[in-house]
Amino acid sequence: MTGFRQLPDDAATEWTETIRRIHQSGVRMVVSVTGGGAGLLGRLLEVPGGSRSLLEARVPYSPVALTEWLGRAPEQACSRATALGMAAVAERRARHLDAGLPVDSTDCPFWLGVAGTSALVSDRPKKGDHRCHLAVHSSRASHAVSVTLAKGLRDRGEEERLVADLLLSLVADQLGIEPPCIELREGADLYDERRVEADPWERELLEESRGVVWRLGGQPAQSEPPVPIRGVFPGSFNPAHAGHRQRSEEHTSEL
């Protein structure tokens, strides 16, 4: 048979051990990506053991699909806020899919939402920047990375591989695994990273070892209400609007 040749190993092989350790960590994750980054799924599944760590993957590519995934229309599809929202939904989805099932390792008893929204090389020129906003969310922390890519330095495949590398690096970091180094173009690519650690009591709430946590007026979480509670005003307040702020001010003035 003709027409086949042995392909050389590419940079993806450097990640094999990292991905193997992700699979063995005991983490259960759901991945959601749009605009780019779907190569992450192939990378995870080409290393044996993917069923241990990956519960589900979604690619909400159309505006309708993205709105359905988030539960509301995003202000901007490719933004850090959208990536963080997608990761939070993915983490909740992981908990739902994994409900009641034991984890493989007591070293990592938590669920992880992994998300990315990108604007990469297309079949038509883009007026805006080539960029990606990537995030992971768990009971431990929320970690987001945004990269503005220099135009013209990479083709679509190269940009896709970079996004997949960055997502793998975020997952590994959340698990305490050291990933391979990722090289960005100095002076050309713009990189921004933000990480927020969970409050210890809020983490216990998310991990269901605590039933309730009280927070009043932006003050640190408390295990008991600081003042007698006359009522509970339900809602996520995300996004917060003028009515939420007014009610908060009225409540504070009443105390």
Side-chain angles (χ1 to χ4, degrees):
M1 183 177 292
T2 60
F4 291 87
R5 62 188 178 87
Q6 182 68 42
L7 295 177
D9 292 338
D10 58 28
T13 60
E14 300 177 9
W15 292 87
T16 299
E17 182 57 29
T18 299
I19 296 170
R20 182 177 293 111
R21 293 180 65 188
I22 289 173
H23 293 335
Q24 295 172 348
S25 70
V27 71
R28 307 293 185 91
M29 60 184 170
V30 167
V31 175
S32 177
V33 292
T34 184
L40 168 68
L41 306 176
R43 299 274 290 279
L44 286 171
L45 297 179
E46 69 186 9
V47 177
S51 61
R52 296 182 183 178
S53 61
L54 184 63
L55 295 171
E56 184 180 59
R58 295 285 191 95
V59 184
Y61 219 71
S62 74
V64 173
L66 183 57
T67 296
E68 183 180 86
W69 178 257
L70 290 171
R72 59 182 172 84
E75 293 186 10
Q76 185 177 358
C78 189
S79 68
R80 175 185 278 118
T82 298
L84 286 166
M86 293 172 66
V89 173
E91 193 264 354
R92 290 197 300 270
R93 177 70 175 164
R95 289 174 179 271
H96 170 72
L97 293 173
D98 202 33
L101 297 179
V103 296
D104 293 337
S105 169
T106 57
D107 295 332
C108 188
F110 72 105
W111 298 268
L112 186 63
V114 183
T117 174
S118 307
L120 307 179
V121 173
S122 181
D123 57 356
R124 55 188 182 278
K126 278 188 169 64
K127 294 182 179 179
D129 293 325
H130 293 186
R131 62 197 186 279
C132 63
H133 299 280
L134 315 172
V136 294
H137 175 73
S138 74
S139 61
R140 296 181 177 183
S142 293
H143 191 183
V145 163
S146 296
V147 181
T148 301
L149 304 170
K151 283 187 175 181
L153 292 185
R154 302 177 180 89
D155 60 23
R156 176 66 184 229
E158 290 170 329
E159 289 188 348
E160 284 279 2
R161 283 189 290 275
L162 177 60
V163 171
D165 285 350
L166 289 167
L167 283 167
L168 283 170
S169 183
L170 278 174
V171 172
D173 178 77
Q174 195 83 337
L175 301 173
I177 299 170
E178 185 69 28
C181 179
I182 299 174
E183 294 187 5
L184 297 176
R185 307 293 177 87
E186 186 175 355
D189 299 320
L190 302 178
Y191 179 90
D192 182 61
E193 181 177 14
R194 299 183 187 181
R195 182 184 177 95
V196 178
E197 300 287 342
D199 179 282
W201 277 338
E202 291 180 353
R203 177 177 171 180
E204 291 178 13
L205 181 67
L206 290 169
E207 294 176 351
E208 301 179 359
S209 60
R210 181 182 294 275
V212 63
V213 168
W214 300 96
R215 182 183 293 276
L216 180 64
Q219 298 303 310
Q222 303 180 55
S223 59
E224 298 294 336
V227 295
I229 299 298
R230 293 194 290 265
V232 177
F233 191 58
S236 66
F237 315 116
N238 181 21
H241 56 64
H244 296 138
R245 289 187 286 271
Q246 179 181 350
R247 187 66 191 96
S248 176
E249 291 167 2
E250 291 172 353
H251 178 67
T252 303
S253 66
E254 292 170 359
L255 298 177

